[in-house]
Amino acid sequence: MAAPMGEVFALCADPAAAGSRLEVRFIGGPKGKGLFATKTIRKGETIFVEQPLVSAQFLWNALYKYKACDHCMTSLETAQENSRRLSANPKLNLPHPEQCTIRRELFDTCPMCLVLYCSAECKQAAWKQYHQVLCLGPSKDDPQHPLNQLQEGWRNMHYPPETASIMLMARMVAKVKQAKNKGHWMKIFSQFCSRMANEEEEIVHKLIGDKFKGQLEMLRQLFTSALYEDSLSQWFTPEGFRSLFALVGTNGQGIGTSSLSQWVHGCDALELPGPLREELDGFIDQLYKDIERESGGFLNCEGSGLYILQSCCNHSCIPNAETSFPENNFLLHLTALQDIPAGEEICITYLDCCQRERSRHSRHRILRENYLFICSCPKCMAQAGDPDMTSEEEEEIEAEAESAELEDEMTDV
């Protein structure tokens, strides 16, 4: 049975184009539902563009001074400011600064709590949707304010890199509290999978296992003190809070925005004579090396969001589509990685690049702990006979073998 596509595509940037060639189908089993092509989609095509129901920057990311619009997560640093901070080089000057599109003259702030937005439109949208509930006003620096205590409690429990966000849950609550039709939004949020466990496979989500029971209860109490609402009482019970946590943990889509990345893409598209192209590419390569040395791999303003249509995409270790954020904000683009014929399921990967290259056993462990299923994609089925060991164990075995070989060579000498 197909999902109500009218509701789904109302949140897409191009509903007509998306709705004419996509269908959400009920599959059953651990997948539940999936997204299918109803017309052929060509490699490189944008399948859809979607805005999240709610999104939020990670708290640690904000604490580390990654400046982003509090609503759409647009990076609020210019590419030059971003690269100077990350490379710890305050005198760095980027060539072709016109390739960075940050417009500081459009920035706006909440007059009460001074939260920063990329535009008056974002400020208005935030206020209309959730910020009336979450605005701290003059209490923004008061450590005793319940919302500040909630955020501090989360930071103390969940260190970077974050895999979920308590503020995403807070914005869900705030959105319902501010809505005139609370039942409408409760119905939409109920479409997301919020299973805490897969009973058939005896899998429990890693964020709500016995190991974190005490921390979750403390977090629930802070969450209740800051945001309790009678109409949402089921979200504040121990079981309901765990379910809400599981919803965010299994459906939250990571969002990464970066002025520097946008500048690099702009530079890549420039038509330059050979020597100038080599010089610019060398500059960019060195810049990334400098940033890696000073700041590691955390280049982006990072957060997470809940997307209705994206959440219908099931996982494959060899996906035929991928998500990206090319507009330097929370608008998610789904792009075809290969031709997708009519009737074929559109799959993305829930793993990052490094995780996808790990052994079948390692991939399954990550997917079990975070998404509560055992993958049966073509790649996993083809590797079904591989040894049941993690990539770390394989690396240790390889290292031991190399050490033994080296000892043999030394003995031979």
Side-chain angles (χ1 to χ4, degrees):
M1 186 172 107
M5 298 303 284
E7 273 187 1
V8 170
F9 288 113
L11 295 156
C12 293
D14 190 358
S20 65
R21 56 182 181 172
L22 300 176
E23 182 180 32
V24 178
R25 297 179 189 169
F26 179 74
I27 301 172
K31 286 187 174 182
K33 59 189 174 184
L35 189 66
F36 291 79
T38 56
K39 294 182 180 179
T40 298
I41 300 170
R42 298 298 177 191
K43 178 180 179 179
E45 279 190 52
T46 299
I47 301 171
F48 62 76
V49 179
E50 185 178 14
Q51 180 176 321
L53 292 172
V54 286
S55 62
Q57 186 182 9
F58 289 147
L59 292 177
W60 278 105
N61 194 260
L63 196 66
Y64 286 151
K65 303 188 186 304
Y66 284 81
K67 296 179 182 177
C69 173
D70 200 57
H71 180 64
C72 78
M73 279 198 60
T74 294
S75 174
L76 299 182
E77 291 178 302
T78 65
Q80 182 158 287
E81 290 169 337
N82 191 212
S83 57
R84 283 180 173 181
R85 179 171 58 80
L86 293 174
S87 66
N89 181 359
K91 296 182 179 179
L92 178 68
N93 291 312
L94 298 187
H96 306 287
E98 74 282 355
Q99 297 305 317
C100 176
T101 58
I102 293 300
R103 298 186 61 186
R104 197 183 303 277
E105 72 275 11
L106 298 179
F107 291 1
D108 207 344
T109 58
C110 170
M112 290 171 286
C113 68
L114 304 182
V115 161
L116 188 59
Y117 299 98
C118 69
S119 65
E121 289 76 16
C122 272
K123 181 179 78 169
Q124 183 178 10
W127 183 256
K128 183 178 178 181
Q129 293 176 30
Y130 55 83
H131 191 62
Q132 293 174 52
V133 169
L134 299 178
C135 182
L136 286 165
S139 300
K140 62 185 179 66
D141 297 319
D142 177 8
Q144 300 307 312
H145 190 282
L147 270 173
N148 285 330
Q149 289 189 327
L150 174 64
Q151 294 186 44
E152 183 63 20
W154 172 257
R155 281 193 293 261
N156 289 335
M157 294 175 195
H158 198 79
Y159 299 103
E162 290 171 79
T163 53
S165 175
I166 196 68
M167 293 313 294
L168 197 60
M169 296 164 62
R171 288 190 179 183
M172 290 172 67
V173 171
K175 192 150 193 167
V176 176
K177 288 177 78 167
Q178 284 191 208
K180 292 180 180 178
N181 187 346
K182 293 177 170 50
H184 169 75
W185 283 103
M186 289 298 291
K187 180 182 176 183
I188 288 179
F189 285 129
S190 71
Q191 293 180 32
F192 292 96
C193 171
S194 58
R195 288 190 308 163
M196 294 177 283
N198 180 336
E199 288 79 10
E200 296 84 4
E201 302 292 347
E202 298 183 348
I203 304 169
V204 177
H205 197 284
K206 72 173 187 179
L207 293 176
I208 55 175
D210 291 338
K211 181 180 175 182
F212 300 108
K213 194 172 286 184
Q215 289 180 324
L216 270 176
E217 177 56 25
M218 188 183 302
L219 200 62
R220 184 187 71 84
Q221 292 174 12
L222 292 171
F223 193 73
T224 302
S225 297
L227 295 161
Y228 183 78
E229 163 82 7
D230 280 337
S231 65
L232 294 171
S233 58
Q234 68 269 38
W235 281 359
F236 294 91
T237 66
E239 187 77 3
F241 184 72
R242 281 159 54 89
S243 180
L244 189 63
F245 215 90
L247 186 156
V248 169
T250 54
N251 294 279
Q253 163 68 46
I255 300 171
T257 62
S258 169
S259 301
L260 178 57
S261 176
Q262 193 178 54
W263 173 81
V264 169
H265 285 306
C267 288
D268 287 344
L270 292 173
E271 294 185 5
L272 299 171
L276 290 180
R277 167 54 60 191
E278 288 182 16
E279 182 181 353
L280 181 56
D281 289 347
F283 178 90
I284 292 172
D285 288 344
Q286 185 59 50
L287 175 58
Y288 276 125
K289 289 176 184 176
D290 293 343
I291 290 174
E292 175 72 25
R293 185 183 64 251
E294 291 293 331
S295 303
F298 297 98
L299 300 179
N300 301 335
C301 293
E302 295 180 341
S304 62
L306 289 178
Y307 296 80
I308 288 186
L309 201 53
Q310 175 272 340
S311 72
C312 295
C313 294
N314 285 310
H315 164 83
S316 173
C317 296
I318 43 172
N320 56 14
E322 69 176 355
T323 59
S324 63
F325 299 88
E327 298 183 48
N328 195 26
N329 59 22
F330 62 15
L331 287 178
L332 180 149
H333 289 233
L334 188 75
T335 306
L337 293 172
Q338 60 194 52
D339 288 350
I340 304 174
E344 184 172 310
E345 185 176 6
I346 297 169
C347 292
I348 58 176
T349 181
Y350 299 170
L351 305 172
D352 63 33
C353 294
C354 294
Q355 292 170 340
R356 284 173 61 184
E357 299 307 314
R358 291 186 177 182
S359 69
R360 173 180 176 270
H361 189 65
S362 285
R363 298 197 307 272
H364 279 204
R365 177 173 55 80
I366 296 165
L367 293 169
R368 279 199 311 270
E369 290 178 349
N370 292 282
Y371 302 102
L372 306 178
F373 71 90
I374 295 175
C375 184
S376 58
C377 74
K379 181 175 181 178
C380 287
M381 296 303 288
Q383 296 175 343
D386 289 359
D388 283 343
M389 62 177 67
T390 66
S391 297
E392 290 85 355
E393 290 168 340
E394 291 169 343
E395 288 171 5
E396 287 177 9
I397 291 171
E398 289 173 4
E400 288 173 3
E402 287 176 6
S403 178
E405 287 176 10
L406 182 59
E407 286 179 10
D408 289 341
E409 288 174 7
M410 294 296 289
T411 303
D412 290 341
V413 171

